[in-house]
Amino acid sequence: MKKLSRLLKSGLLMICLISPLYSFSQQASGTIKGLLIDDKQKAVEFTSISLHKAADSTIVKGSISDSSGHFIFEKVNTGSYFVQAGLVGYKTYRSKNFSLTSEKKLISIESIILEAENKTLDAVTITAQKPLIEQHIDRTVLNIENSILSEGNTALELLEKAPGVTVDDEGNISMKGKPGVSVMLNGKLTYLSQRELTTLLRGTSSGSVSKIELITNPSAKYDAAGNSGIINIVLKKNEKAGINGNMYVNAARSRANRYGGGAGLNYRNGKQNLYGSYDHAYRGEIEYLSFIRRFHDDNSGIPSRISYQNSATNEPLYTNNYKLGADFFLNDKNTLGVLFNGNHGKYINDNNTSNLLVSSSGEVLSQPQTHNDNLDRWKSQAYNLNYAHKFNDSGRELSADLDYSLNDNRSNQSMDTRFPNQENPGLETRSVRRGNVPSVTNVYVGKLDYTQPFGEKAKFETGWKSSYVFVDNNLKYDTLRNNEWIPDPSWSNHFTYKETIHAGYINFSKEFGSISVQAGLRGENTQTEGHQVTTDSLVKRQYFQLFPSLFVTKTFTPDHSGQFSYGRRVERPDYSDMNPFRFFRDPFLYYEGNPFLKPELTQSIEVSHSYKGKFTTTLNYSYTDDVMNWMMGQVDSLNTTYQSPQNLKSFINYGISFTAAIQPASWWTSNNFANLLHNRYKGDQDGGDLNNSIWSYSVNSQNIFQLGKGFSAELSGFYNSKSVYGVFVTKSYYVISAGGQKQILKKKGTIKLMVNDIFQTRQRRNTARYENLDMEGHIRFDSRMATVSFSYRFGREVTPARKRNSGSEDIQNRVKGGN
């Protein structure tokens, strides 16, 4: 059985990780275009056209005619096809079969004439499923709603499956080996601390996520925050005309039970679009953690005491997401939108920890037992008012947003530690503390963007954004003495934080034949004020910084193109990182903020080459000053370990990545990513000379199999080699997941079955050895999960008569009701 298990693991891992080596025989090589008109020779605008394989009528691509009736299909594989179009009140049109060959790469279809139907027809729906992973020139897009393996996960777990993205046990996100990712929801920053963002992403069900965009080098129009780039999580929104909706339910089992469900409803006519949705999920989770810490009395290198800490946590999570919004199409040039988003829930962390302290000879010195019971409740509400004005059909546009969000996080904590008497086991001493840890964040944002095209090949963009954030964090702890709760000022702390950012940007892009250039400059004036009310300590900062960006794209041949990009970005410390209060996991391990943290600045360069839009190679280099890092330290005399954010001198990251989207067979689509990188951290913390570096690599593969008769399957896997983060070195690990689905009820219903992390290999093992610090950690995540789900689409789905086009995707996301 052990040999069979090893063979199965090896086989699945090989399928996931070597698929890029298969045949590249069916690659995108041609273009198909045409014109859609009615029987009166008038252009039929904003109507769906689908491209089908002639052999089995399978839909290959979907397109929409523009305002002049023209449509186009680009990057189409060689083969035999036909196109089909339909519109309410007209007969469905089907073209003759035609062939796209390596010699004939451009097909111009004769004008498609839609004839009026004499009888009333039901609504026509033509859909073309997007690929799981799309590689754009400035970003990688994961179409989550098309993935079987996304079922039953949280948004945070979805990120770990994204190519080049890693998430550590504290929820910190890295992209291509670089920490400092800025996370947006529907194109908008959350302005939350790392802890609050982690809670929000854990509380966001994958069922409400439409796609995830990975932007490694954003342009000047984006906020400068996020040294390693931006991850934009786009939530689902139905825009189909008529009354329609969807619902889903799922049930799962890991070490504990999980379940979830939700529904969405949409109504759209020519003048308005009303929508709403609600999702609920319960997530049971059990994790195991262990730490080995060695303490020294001298510089001999031989520990005098060793601590063996083991923890088991029961972490049930209840979450609710809801959304209500409307878009009002006032006329052809003006659109007004309103949106209310909400997320609330609770998270329980019931933790039992044993800490065995022994001497170098093995003598038991102490064996305390700690019970931590934390109950986190949060309520996040966001209100958005947005407006877009289209001056003319050339793309000249003005858009505006007003946002307000309230994030209320409250935590009730208790820590009960019992210290047995080693000489008399029947006797023990006890230390009990409880805490009320509220954190309220208010965010106000105003934004204005303007787009001015100059002909078809040049465009000027400019905009202004102002944001104000106020955080109030008032921690109150009590200690139990003689069966009475006494306020504990040594643990309590009141901290407030204010942040105001005014930003403006200009962006200009122009095509010069085969070369496209985009240059931008963003200026941000930042004012921060951190006030530790308890000690009346005030830290103020004010600074103005410029963030240039440059993109140059060159098309060498129809198959080959290249790009150069440069950008400068900033990562500001979270207010929670600057709050100097201490949070104890047990009496011998605590976390502490640093009010003197400085922002870190990064300069990045990327050079990439794309072949046929399917194969991309990217070289990247970045240098970060004053990099923020959670450093670990020890107080040997107290047998205590602590962790605190510090500014290191520098962080250098460089590497090469490969992306390949291939089709080894007509029924098999494979998306693959590989990254080879080198990370180096340098600093002089605690009197030492930190110089920690390593070469690392990661591989990610997503494979989709179309099995016919409504059946499909998905197999994914990723491998991360040994890596470094500050003083920590993390060992390698891999994860393999698989799933299948069946379409039923006239393709409106879908049943899915998936198993995530089949071999339960998502375990985090790391070591930290720096100066007197000597520590090993091992976390066994509750990641092996079997899920069954059912989803159903209902209502009339009519092809919309009008589709809005905004000056940029970011603006379009806002008009659709950004978070």
Side-chain angles (χ1 to χ4, degrees), residues 130-404:
K130 295 180 181 179
L132 178 62
I133 298 178
E134 294 179 298
Q135 191 68 44
H136 297 260
I137 196 165
D138 64 339
R139 70 193 63 194
T140 300
V141 178
L142 284 74
N143 294 301
I144 295 300
E145 55 189 328
N146 297 332
S147 174
I148 302 169
L149 299 177
S150 68
E151 201 69 41
N153 287 289
T154 68
L156 192 65
E157 290 170 325
L158 291 179
L159 292 181
E160 178 132 16
K161 297 181 181 181
V165 177
T166 57
V167 182
D168 68 14
D169 51 290
E170 300 293 337
N172 298 299
I173 303 168
S174 301
M175 190 155 53
K176 289 188 175 181
K178 295 190 296 181
V181 178
S182 186
V183 177
M184 300 194 302
L185 291 178
N186 286 347
K188 299 181 182 298
L189 290 175
T190 59
Y191 297 97
L192 298 177
S193 69
Q194 177 59 52
R195 179 176 177 272
E196 291 169 341
L197 177 62
T198 300
T199 300
L200 179 62
L201 295 179
R202 279 178 177 156
T204 302
S205 168
S206 61
S208 61
V209 177
S210 172
K211 60 183 178 181
I212 295 175
E213 299 175 335
L214 311 177
I215 310 171
T216 56
N217 210 0
S219 68
K221 68 184 301 181
Y222 290 96
D223 289 82
N227 278 337
S228 63
I230 293 173
I231 295 179
N232 183 28
I233 300 175
V234 181
L235 302 180
K236 290 180 179 178
K237 180 186 174 185
N238 194 343
E239 288 197 301
K240 296 176 180 177
I243 299 177
N244 50 80
N246 62 84
M247 56 79 65
Y248 73 93
V249 293
N250 60 55
R253 176 69 187 182
S254 56
R255 295 186 183 120
N257 292 323
R258 306 177 183 185
Y259 63 80
L265 188 64
N266 182 83
Y267 169 72
R268 177 169 179 167
N269 59 22
K271 290 293 184 181
Q272 59 189 5
N273 183 48
L274 307 176
Y275 56 93
S277 65
Y278 172 76
D279 299 276
H280 171 75
Y282 166 76
R283 175 187 177 83
E285 184 172 10
I286 298 173
E287 285 188 351
Y288 302 105
L289 304 86
S290 62
F291 299 96
I292 299 176
R293 292 173 284 172
R294 299 173 178 87
F295 302 98
H296 303 259
D297 287 335
D298 51 40
N299 297 322
S300 64
I302 301 175
S304 57
R305 298 171 308 284
I306 304 176
S307 168
Y308 298 92
Q309 177 179 321
N310 292 282
S311 299
T313 66
N314 183 19
E315 306 177 38
L317 169 71
Y318 302 83
T319 181
N320 301 271
N321 297 277
Y322 41 92
K323 177 170 58 179
L324 185 64
D327 294 329
F328 301 99
F329 307 99
L330 307 179
N331 51 45
D332 291 341
K333 298 185 182 299
N334 296 280
T335 303
L336 181 68
V338 293
L339 174 67
F340 167 69
N341 261 349
N343 180 295
H344 76 267
K346 66 178 180 179
Y347 170 68
I348 301 171
N349 189 309
D350 192 353
N351 182 305
N352 288 292
T353 300
S354 64
N355 197 328
L356 174 63
L357 184 68
V358 300
S359 66
S360 56
S361 62
E363 178 188 358
V364 176
L365 302 176
S366 67
Q367 195 172 2
Q369 304 289 324
T370 300
H371 177 234
N372 272 324
D373 188 5
N374 298 331
L375 172 59
D376 291 340
R377 291 186 176 91
W378 72 91
K379 179 175 63 176
S380 176
Q381 296 177 338
Y383 306 84
N384 170 261
L385 175 65
N386 58 77
Y387 168 77
H389 174 71
K390 192 174 183 180
F391 292 93
N392 51 44
D393 293 333
S394 67
R396 184 182 171 207
E397 187 170 296
L398 177 71
S399 66
D401 278 271
L402 291 175
D403 292 271
Y404 167 72

Side-chain angles (χ1 to χ4, degrees), residues 489-541:
S490 64
W491 279 40
S492 301
N493 184 66
H494 188 189
F495 183 77
T496 63
Y497 178 75
K498 299 176 183 178
E499 179 184 270
T500 303
I501 300 176
H502 299 293
Y505 74 89
I506 55 174
N507 218 37
F508 181 76
S509 58
K510 183 173 175 56
E511 294 182 18
F512 302 90
S514 62
I515 298 178
S516 299
V517 178
Q518 176 180 289
L521 182 64
R522 186 180 187 90
E524 293 190 353
N525 185 74
T526 305
Q527 294 179 329
T528 65
E529 179 183 292
H531 186 198
Q532 190 176 352
V533 181
T534 305
T535 60
D536 196 22
S537 173
L538 188 66
V539 178
K540 288 186 176 182
R541 285 199 175 96

Side-chain angles (χ1 to χ4, degrees), residues 690-702:
L690 175 65
N691 191 350
N692 200 9
S693 65
I694 196 173
W695 279 98
S696 304
Y697 65 92
S698 63
V699 183
N700 183 299
S701 183
Q702 303 272 349

Side-chain angles (χ1 to χ4, degrees), residues 11-13 15-16 148-149 701-705 713-717 736-739 758:
L12 290 175
L13 189 60
I15 290 176
C16 289
I148 302 169
L149 299 177
S701 183
Q702 303 272 349
N703 300 271
I704 300 175
F705 309 94
E714 192 173 322
L715 176 66
S716 76
I736 294 177
S737 305
I758 297 174

